[in-house]
Amino acid sequence: MKWLDDIEQAKSEGFDDLEGRADVPGQALAESRHWARTLFAQGMSPYDAGRPVRRAVHRATKAAPDLLRHEYDVDDLHLSIVEGRSFALVVVARASLDVLALPEEERAPAIARIAKALFHPVCVSGGACFRFPERIEEGTFFSTNPELDPRLLGAWQDRLDAGIRGGELVFLAYKRLPWMAGFADPSSWLREGERIDQKPRFRFPFRSSRSRRKKR
C-alpha cells in the first residue's frame, strides 16, 4: 500500500518531536482535530482534554509527504496514530495486544473488539464488519469493503482496512468527504493552506451582494 510505504520512508528520514499543538500549523491542526472527532469513538481521540500525547512531524520531502504522529495510552492500549492529509494509520502496540499470540479462532474476534472500541460506530457497526480471511498471520490485510478502490470512496465510512504488520495490529482509515474529488495534496499539509474539513462556499462571480431580483 502506498500509504504504508510513505510512512516507512518517513521513518527512515526521521520525525521531529513537537513541544505542543502550537507547533502544528493552524490549518493542519484544524483538519487533524476534525478527523479525530470524525473517525474515533468517544474517549479515544488524541485530542481529548487532559490526555498526555507525544507528537512529532515529518515534513514533506521528495520521497515522503507531510505526516503528523500522535502517541498515547488509552484503556490499556498504547496507540500510535500517523496521519497524512488523506489517511490515518492506527498502530496498536504489540505489548498491548499480541494478535499472533492468540489461538487462531480468537484472532478475528479480538480485532473486531478493538475496532469497535476505537472507531466511530458508523464505521464499525457492531464490531463485525471486516471481511476476515480464513487465517490471520503476519502480512495479512483485510477490509470492510475490499472491492472498493480507496481513490473512489464516496465517504470515509465506506472502507476501513486492517492487518498485521511487523507483528502489530494496524488500522488504515481514509479521509474522504462526499463532496471531495480525489485526495488533497499530501505534501502541502503542514503549510498554511486550503481547508478540506468543510465544504467550500460558491458565489456567483458577477452578482452584487446587494442586488435583488426584480419584482414582476
Side-chain angles (χ1 to χ4, degrees):
M1 293 183 180
K2 180 184 185 304
W3 290 274
L4 298 181
D5 293 339
D6 286 344
I7 292 173
E8 290 303 316
Q9 178 62 36
K11 285 181 180 178
S12 69
E13 295 177 357
F15 279 73
D16 297 320
D17 289 335
L18 298 179
E19 295 295 330
R21 300 180 193 176
D23 291 332
V24 181
Q27 210 58 67
L29 180 61
E31 292 178 15
S32 177
R33 290 173 65 94
H34 165 79
W35 283 107
R37 291 192 303 269
T38 299
L39 294 172
F40 297 109
Q42 186 174 2
M44 294 294 172
S45 168
Y47 291 103
D48 285 347
R51 171 165 292 149
V53 179
R54 181 181 177 184
R55 290 188 172 86
V57 295
H58 172 273
R59 300 189 185 279
T61 64
K62 291 183 178 180
D66 285 328
L67 297 171
L68 174 61
R69 184 175 66 200
H70 317 263
E71 293 182 348
Y72 60 103
D73 297 302
V74 58
D75 292 348
D76 298 325
L77 297 176
H78 181 73
L79 304 178
S80 175
I81 299 175
V82 181
E83 59 173 324
R85 202 172 188 185
S86 59
F87 71 90
L89 179 77
V90 181
V91 181
V92 181
R94 194 169 188 173
S96 301
L97 175 64
D98 190 345
V99 173
L100 299 183
L102 298 174
E104 287 193 16
E105 67 274 12
E106 295 181 14
R107 295 176 184 179
I111 293 169
R113 285 195 299 272
I114 295 296
K116 183 179 179 180
L118 285 178
F119 292 98
H120 193 289
V122 170
C123 189
V124 190
S125 178
C129 61
F130 281 108
R131 300 185 192 177
F132 291 110
E134 291 185 4
R135 298 191 63 183
I136 297 175
E137 52 195 13
E138 174 62 34
T140 300
F141 279 85
F142 37 90
S143 176
T144 60
N145 196 351
E147 290 83 17
L148 184 58
D149 190 318
R151 295 168 296 182
L152 302 178
L153 295 182
W156 65 271
Q157 60 266 43
D158 289 346
R159 175 170 172 164
L160 177 67
D161 295 343
I164 307 297
R165 185 179 175 90
E168 294 180 312
L169 174 62
V170 301
F171 296 96
L172 181 62
Y174 303 96
K175 297 179 177 181
R176 290 283 294 165
L177 294 171
W179 55 267
M180 291 173 62
F183 288 108
D185 181 1
S187 296
S188 63
W189 190 43
L190 294 180
R191 300 195 301 267
E192 294 292 345
E194 180 183 355
R195 292 185 65 168
I196 63 168
D197 61 349
Q198 63 182 25
K199 191 171 182 178
R201 297 179 180 179
F202 294 96
R203 297 181 182 274
F204 292 99
F206 304 113
R207 178 180 294 178
S208 169
S209 60
R210 297 181 180 179
S211 64
R212 297 180 180 178
R213 296 179 63 182
K214 294 181 179 180
K215 295 182 180 180
R216 294 185 179 180

